[in-house]
């Protein structure tokens, strides 16, 4: 989460979307389950995620909302794609039950 929040493309994802200030009054007609990094952070701090998959699902929801609402040629869509790439890369480096770290002497990059 810290990496996502610090990512240079994370600006539009830091706080909940404010449709009035952004001039997109139809946002909640299109996006039924909004998600942002501050909400994810609050849920993490409150221990609301029982499993890592729930955290991952909220990040994926945030990104899916971005791709649903914004057109591919927009800057916000591109920023979402950059965050998605960063997140996918970070997840690929994490050990999991289906992808355990082979051994401690495996070089890290």
């Amino acid at each position: 989460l810290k990496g996502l929040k610090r990512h240079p493309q994370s600006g539009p994802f830091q706080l909940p979307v404010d449709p009035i200030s952004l001039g997109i009054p139809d946002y909640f007609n299109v996006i039924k389950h909004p998600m942002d990094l501050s909400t994810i952070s609050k849920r993490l701090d409150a221990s609301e995620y029982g499993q890592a998959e729930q955290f991952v699902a909220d990040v994926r929801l945030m990104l899916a909302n971005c791709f649903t609402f914004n057109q591919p040629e927009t800057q916000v869509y591109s920023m979402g794609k950059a965050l998605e790439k960063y997140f996918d890369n970070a997840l690929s480096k994490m050990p999991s039950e289906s992808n355990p770290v082979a051994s401690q002497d495996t070089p890290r990059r």
Side-chain angles (χ1 to χ4, degrees):
L1 180 62
K2 287 181 185 179
L4 285 172
K5 290 174 83 173
R6 292 179 183 160
H7 194 279
Q9 303 295 314
S10 69
F13 307 94
Q14 293 288 337
L15 298 171
V17 170
D18 182 346
I20 304 305
S21 70
L22 295 172
I24 49 174
D26 63 333
Y27 183 79
F28 293 120
N29 295 333
V30 177
I31 302 301
K32 300 300 181 188
H33 302 285
M35 187 54 58
D36 64 277
L37 294 172
S38 70
T39 300
I40 294 170
S41 184
K42 288 174 189 170
R43 288 182 175 183
L44 197 58
D45 291 345
S47 301
E48 291 183 29
Y49 295 119
Q51 298 179 330
E53 291 82 12
Q54 294 168 311
F55 165 80
V56 171
D58 272 355
V59 173
R60 297 257 183 245
L61 173 61
M62 177 188 74
L63 295 168
N65 289 346
C66 170
F67 305 141
T68 297
F69 190 80
N70 299 283
Q71 297 298 316
E73 64 276 0
T74 64
Q75 183 176 4
V76 174
Y77 189 99
S78 296
M79 295 168 91
K81 282 296 185 184
L83 277 188
E84 181 180 53
K85 183 177 179 181
Y86 172 84
F87 188 63
D88 288 344
N89 185 44
L91 282 182
S92 73
K93 295 176 183 177
M94 301 292 287
S96 69
E97 290 180 24
S98 62
N99 185 25
V101 175
S103 71
Q104 293 299 326
D105 59 5
T106 302
R108 292 185 177 212
R109 296 175 191 220

